[in-house]
Amino acid sequence: GAMGGLSDLQRNILMLSWCGDRSSFHPAMRAALVVFSDDERIQSWRQKRNGHKPGLLQAFIAVSLAEVSMPEMCRKCQGTGTVAASDCPRCEGSGRKAMPQREKVAIASNYVRMSQPTWSRYTREYDYGYVYQKIKDAHDDGLRRIKRQLVA
C-alpha cells in the first residue's frame, strides 16, 4: 500500500494530519521519542547551565505534532503561500497560520510546568525550532513518499 516503507513516526503523523485520526497522536509521540532518544543535540540539553527539564522534550514534540498536523490555513494567501507571485508576508510562504503562543503553552503544560514567558525562554534555550523541524521533515518526507507511490 501507499503507507508501506514509512517510518512509524511518518505513518502516525500522516494519519494524524491527513486522516484526522486523533488516536495516532500518542503513537506519533512514542515514535518521535525513539527518534530523539539518540539525538546528540537533544542529549546535550543535559549539559546546559539550567540542567535537564523533565517533560520538556515531550512538550516540544506534542506542540510540534499539533503545529504540523493541525494547521489553520493562512487567510491572506488562502493556503497557497503566495501573494502577487511572491511569498505571502503573513505566513512566509508556508500557507499556514502560525499557532498562537497561548495554544502552544496550553499543549506544553500537559508535560511540563509552563507559562508564556517560560515557553519563550525554553524555546530559545532548548531549541524548539530543531524539534519542530525534525517533526515537519518527517511529515513532509512521508508525504513525498506517498505521492511517489501513488503516481508510480
Side-chain angles (χ1 to χ4, degrees), residues 87-103:
D87 280 353
C88 174
R90 183 170 295 155
C91 68
E92 299 174 345
S94 72
R96 300 171 172 194
K97 181 179 171 188
M99 180 182 280
Q101 186 172 354
R102 71 182 178 286
E103 288 182 37

Side-chain angles (χ1 to χ4, degrees), residues 118-138:
T118 306
W119 171 261
S120 294
R121 191 174 80 247
Y122 283 176
T123 56
R124 283 189 313 276
E125 289 177 13
Y126 292 91
D127 200 2
Y128 168 75
Y130 176 72
V131 174
Y132 170 82
Q133 195 59 55
K134 296 269 284 192
I135 297 293
K136 184 172 182 334
D137 289 349

Side-chain angles (χ1 to χ4, degrees), residues 27-48:
M29 282 283 295
R30 285 191 300 275
L33 285 168
V34 169
V35 167
F36 285 111
S37 67
D38 343 330
D39 189 292
E40 289 180 21
R41 196 155 167 185
I42 301 301
Q43 297 307 316
S44 74
W45 290 3
R46 297 181 192 283
Q47 279 72 49
K48 287 204 176 284

Side-chain angles (χ1 to χ4, degrees), residues 3-4 13 18 34 36 49 53 58 64 71-72 93 122-123 127 137 140 142 145 150:
M3 296 289 255
I13 290 174
W18 293 97
V34 169
F36 285 111
R49 181 173 46 91
K53 303 289 185 220
Q58 290 89 335
S64 296
E72 284 187 51
Y122 283 176
T123 56
D127 200 2
D137 289 349
D140 295 350
R145 288 171 183 252
L150 292 174

Side-chain angles (χ1 to χ4, degrees), residues 62-107:
V63 173
S64 296
L65 287 170
E67 277 199 282
V68 168
S69 66
M70 299 175 254
E72 284 187 51
M73 180 177 64
C74 174
R75 290 192 182 106
K76 183 162 185 79
C77 67
Q78 300 301 307
T80 64
T82 58
V83 174
S86 57
D87 280 353
C88 174
R90 183 170 295 155
C91 68
E92 299 174 345
S94 72
R96 300 171 172 194
K97 181 179 171 188
M99 180 182 280
Q101 186 172 354
R102 71 182 178 286
E103 288 182 37
K104 294 177 184 179
V105 170
I107 294 167

